[in-house]
Amino acid sequence: MNKPRHPDRFVDRHLGPDLEEVEEMLQSLGLRNLDELIDRTVPSSIRLRRPLDLPPGRSEFGLLSEAEQIAAKNQVFRSYLGMGYSDTVTPPVILRNVLENPGWYTQYTPYQPEISQGRLEALLDYQQMVEDLTGLPIANASLLDEATAAAEAMTMFHNIAPGDASGFFVAQDCHPQTIEVVRTRAAPFGIRVIVGDPARFDFGRTPIFGALLQYPATDGGIADPRAFIEKAHAHGALVVMAADILSLLLLTSPGELGADCAVGSTQRFGVPLGYGGPHAAFFATKQEHVRHMPGRIIGVSIDAQGRPALRMALQTREQHIRREKATSNICTAQALLAIVSAMYAVYHGPRGLRAIAQHVHGLTSLLGRGLEQLGYQLRHGEFFDTVAVRVDKAQAGDIFSAAEALKMNFRRIDDHTIGVALDETATTEDVRDILSAFAGARPVPEVSGEEPRLPRALLRKSAVLTHPVFNTHHSETEMLRYLKFLESRDLSLTHSMIPLGSCTMKLNATAEMLPITWPAFSRLHPFAPRAQAAGYTQIFQELEAMLAEITGFPGVSLQPNSGAQGEYAGLQVIKAFHESRGEGHRKVCLIPQSAHGTNPASAAMVNYQIVVIKTDENGNVDVADLERRAAEHAKDLAALMITYPSTHGVFEEEIRRICDVVHRHGGQVYMDGANMNAQVGLCRPGDFGPDICHLNLHKTFCIPHGGGGPGMGPICAAKHLAPYLPGHPVVRTGGEKAIGAISAAPWGSASILLISWAYIKMMGAQGLQRASEVAILNANYLARRLDAHFPVLYKGKNGFVAHECIVDLRKVKRDAGVEVDDVAKRLMDYGFHAPTTSFPVIGTLMIEPTESEDKAELDRFCEAMIGIRDEIRQIESGKAPRDQNVLKGAPHTAEVLTADAWDRPYSRQHAAYPLAWVREHKFWPAVGRLNHVYGDKNLMCSCPPPAAYAKPDA
């Protein structure tokens, strides 16, 4: 049936159900209209009594026209600023088929590996690439950015280094943003950050547990670190090297130099600058540190048939699972950007990458020679891609003026030193223009030939990227087929709904996505002069104003580049507020039992003492227990972290009282904004008690999950906390009493802020409110249909849920021996990704349909769940065995179903096509059920040889 849609209203494209379907669902709930549903769901005491003060919704065409006008305000100069960011060429085959492809960017984190094998393979390629280039045996599947990766290394060292030293040495020639983020992360733990010259550091006088070196240095210099590393080891300290990934094609790897860890950014491997992100950071270390390593690791295991299969390894060490025992709050990666970098390496191969590195270094050598011919002295005679030029203070102004006239950006290292960093986009003509800016009225010298300026003692001799995957796909035809092969092995939103509670896998509209790869947004360096980023400035200002209106909080920081980073930033703001009032002793953080695991992990990262608050039989915060705990810790109470609506999927009626209790005892209320999809336009946290919150822009505000990243987690703060919003050492931002930088770039992953800006602008006030209402409607319709088959665990006082619901499978485990995991795997045979499994209650599924799914898709999912319930009844009645049934055998691969032998007590047809509509659109799991125990016992986190796939494991 054709649905009536307004031809130019984006809200009608974003929302799944049409008016007729909304009516049908309301009737099934016994309701007259959406207003009645919201009245029965959202407590009247917190309802917003006016529309949001936002501009009316725009059409897609109108929004994109506006975005083009704003983009034109940016000026994309040739930026030779370096500092860990480089312009790059994203191969078009990767740009179109990965970065701009919803088959890649709408996937969820690969917690269900059987339907995530393509992305897992791409991430394993990434790990192999990092391991090869760094010379270290174990790498994770990426972190947020280079600066936070360095901070994670410091924290890891702090936990594993012998002795009780509290000092951490940082080389003074590290990137300034890295030094600042390390300082921010160190402060809560009393770690003393010592910034100095590695050549002069006295290990005997100053005990340290670890050290950070930059390789090459931020000003281009390349020092041999071996002597320093040997001394550090002799004094019980560990060393991390922040390395330029491209330079490692030509320079000896950190692992070969003795480093214990290597970090850096893979941005220059094909990931656009995007005014700061999103980019993928690498993190590699020694095998003995694997269980202390932050972030996700992809590993090789086997499936139920003994064939190689990939999955996230050692999941029990993930930080959000460890909760208050966590040493990091990382619960994500930059999967999409790591995949782009990995495919860049696959496409170019070792020869191509080495040629790119030689091209960059060759041009930099030409530049250095030309500058010397002009009479300038270089700070370093040996370098990779960056020269630091000594100048008189008077000369500097003329040089910068000349560069600006030629639309070039140089770096002002200090009053007497100018930095120039080249990249793969540079040409000999660019070198000539740079020299002309330094030449002034003098003729530009003619320079030619290649004379490498790398230290001979540090030239790389070891081979890299020898695995066939990096030596096969070098034509576009081969690369395209490899990308499509991988894509075909992953289930994404292009196939079916992904009903993950707390993760809000909603539409990522094409119109929202288009601007992020426009050159005017994608090629801007994050440290370019602010005057060149007027378009971005407008986007930031408008987005901050809209988020302030949506949340009711006047202060907004866009810097945190993940939800967990937002939590951390918010708690650091609260900490700074207490310290400013002479109450730095307040270090107790109250957290409900039902909280997301990142909440206690983030609290642990600011060195707070975590006190768990009970939840009652209805899933709400036990207010009596809260009262007791708040009174007990009144002198030291810093904060309460609460998710609203609750993680149990209901609007807690006592939220105002909860906030009042905390305030009465001197604490601040931090609201986890993961569930804002049920609040926008209906209520505002700034109006009912919380003091600060973060927003998951990759949930409520439509940034795609990207298979496990990117995300953005801006924080919104009340007036009294706004002065402490995060600052930055390179580009001024934040409040007048700003805490230190949280992320490497001043506005985090700036380019993807365009997505949320576009979503809000196109939806408008009415559209955003309608989205919240339909999200709540869809969840309640689904809950009502499933309740008779899988009881809904928690409901509000009127019998309704918020935007998600928890269904209870514990009875079927008792009666039929069916585990939550069995249901999750069987859903794959029906063509669906499982809901959130066993969180926040063991033995349950948490389901969130979002507002983007229409009634037909909701019904299809319900029919799948009801079909699975009927299969469970067959076990309960004894018609199917408890140990060998269609659920225990799931998921069923095409290989298993077409094998000559079939000895299972159910038909092949029922295994493959449990409902008629599955035949029309079958998604085949690439592998059988993963054997996680085997993988953890036989840990392998690099690409296996091709022979491993030839036959089942014996």
Side-chain angles (χ1 to χ4, degrees), residues 617-637:
E617 66 276 7
N618 297 315
N620 298 315
V621 170
D622 185 329
V623 181
D625 188 52
L626 174 68
E627 292 265 18
R628 284 192 297 272
R629 297 295 188 180
E632 178 185 347
H633 298 284
K635 291 183 179 179
D636 299 314
L637 180 60

Side-chain angles (χ1 to χ4, degrees), residues 681-704:
L682 302 177
C683 57
R684 306 191 309 173
D687 295 340
F688 57 78
D691 301 284
I692 192 167
C693 74
H694 85 268
L695 299 173
N696 294 95
L697 298 190
H698 49 289
K699 296 182 181 181
T700 302
F701 297 97
C702 292
I703 291 176

Side-chain angles (χ1 to χ4, degrees), residues 129-208:
M129 173 190 81
V130 171
E131 290 164 10
D132 279 9
L133 290 171
T134 63
L136 288 161
I138 193 83
N140 67 18
S142 77
L143 292 176
L144 299 173
D145 56 43
E146 180 173 331
T148 54
E152 293 285 351
M154 174 187 69
T155 305
M156 184 179 79
F157 288 174
H158 192 230
N159 288 307
I160 64 178
D164 56 1
S166 62
F168 185 73
F169 177 81
V170 178
Q172 62 193 22
D173 54 14
C174 288
H175 298 315
Q177 71 272 18
T178 300
I179 297 173
E180 179 72 5
V181 170
V182 166
R183 280 179 167 146
T184 302
R185 191 75 67 88
F189 295 99
I191 295 173
R192 181 185 170 205
V193 176
I194 303 128
V195 179
D197 183 351
R200 298 181 180 181
F201 182 68
D202 186 343
F203 287 90
R205 289 188 62 184
T206 310
I208 61 170

Side-chain angles (χ1 to χ4, degrees), residues 464-523:
V464 294
L465 306 178
T466 58
H467 192 276
V469 73
F470 299 108
N471 294 277
T472 304
H473 310 290
H474 301 325
S475 75
E476 184 164 334
T477 300
E478 291 167 332
M479 190 66 198
L480 180 64
R481 288 173 180 161
Y482 182 55
L483 293 174
K484 288 298 177 182
F485 164 73
L486 296 180
E487 182 187 343
S488 71
R489 295 162 70 83
D490 270 31
L491 187 143
S492 70
L493 282 174
T494 64
H495 297 98
S496 57
M497 71 183 289
I498 300 180
L500 285 148
S502 191
C503 291
T504 318
M505 298 293 292
K506 67 205 296 182
L507 172 69
N508 314 121
T510 307
E512 296 158 6
M513 301 296 297
L514 284 174
I516 66 172
T517 53
W518 292 353
F521 289 122
S522 68
R523 295 192 66 189

Side-chain angles (χ1 to χ4, degrees), residues 765-815:
Q766 291 183 337
L768 291 170
Q769 179 175 331
R770 184 76 170 186
S772 299
E773 293 168 348
V774 173
I776 292 171
L777 172 65
N778 281 358
N780 278 280
Y781 174 73
L782 189 147
R784 185 64 60 90
R785 280 209 64 185
L786 293 181
D787 198 22
H789 306 277
F790 297 102
V792 174
L793 191 56
Y794 300 116
K795 299 174 184 176
K797 72 173 186 178
N798 295 317
F800 292 90
V801 299
H803 64 306
E804 61 191 5
C805 63
I806 298 173
V807 297
D808 197 347
L809 276 65
R810 290 174 292 187
K811 184 176 186 299
V812 302
K813 179 178 180 179
R814 293 193 300 269
D815 296 347

Side-chain angles (χ1 to χ4, degrees), residues 568-702:
Y568 175 69
L571 291 175
Q572 283 277 47
V573 165
I574 289 173
K575 194 169 188 293
F577 169 73
H578 286 312
E579 289 172 349
S580 74
R581 293 156 55 90
E583 296 187 326
H585 61 276
R586 290 188 174 272
K587 292 185 177 181
V588 170
C589 186
L590 307 178
I591 302 180
Q593 286 176 329
S594 61
H596 295 103
T598 53
N599 286 183
S602 296
M605 283 182 62
V606 298
N607 204 23
Y608 274 174
Q609 175 192 344
I610 294 140
V611 175
V612 177
I613 304 301
K614 296 177 183 177
T615 51
D616 64 23
E617 66 276 7
N618 297 315
N620 298 315
V621 170
D622 185 329
V623 181
D625 188 52
L626 174 68
E627 292 265 18
R628 284 192 297 272
R629 297 295 188 180
E632 178 185 347
H633 298 284
K635 291 183 179 179
D636 299 314
L637 180 60
L640 165 74
M641 298 185 80
I642 188 167
T643 302
Y644 200 76
S646 78
T647 313
H648 288 150
V650 295
F651 282 92
E652 300 194 44
E653 297 284 336
E654 299 285 348
I655 185 62
R656 284 187 180 274
R657 181 181 167 196
I658 289 168
C659 295
D660 288 344
V661 168
V662 176
H663 289 149
R664 193 166 65 248
H665 292 91
Q668 296 287 289
V669 177
Y670 179 93
M671 193 197 85
D672 184 321
N675 293 342
M676 275 297 294
N677 211 44
Q679 285 196 59
V680 180
L682 302 177
C683 57
R684 306 191 309 173
D687 295 340
F688 57 78
D691 301 284
I692 192 167
C693 74
H694 85 268
L695 299 173
N696 294 95
L697 298 190
H698 49 289
K699 296 182 181 181
T700 302
F701 297 97
C702 292

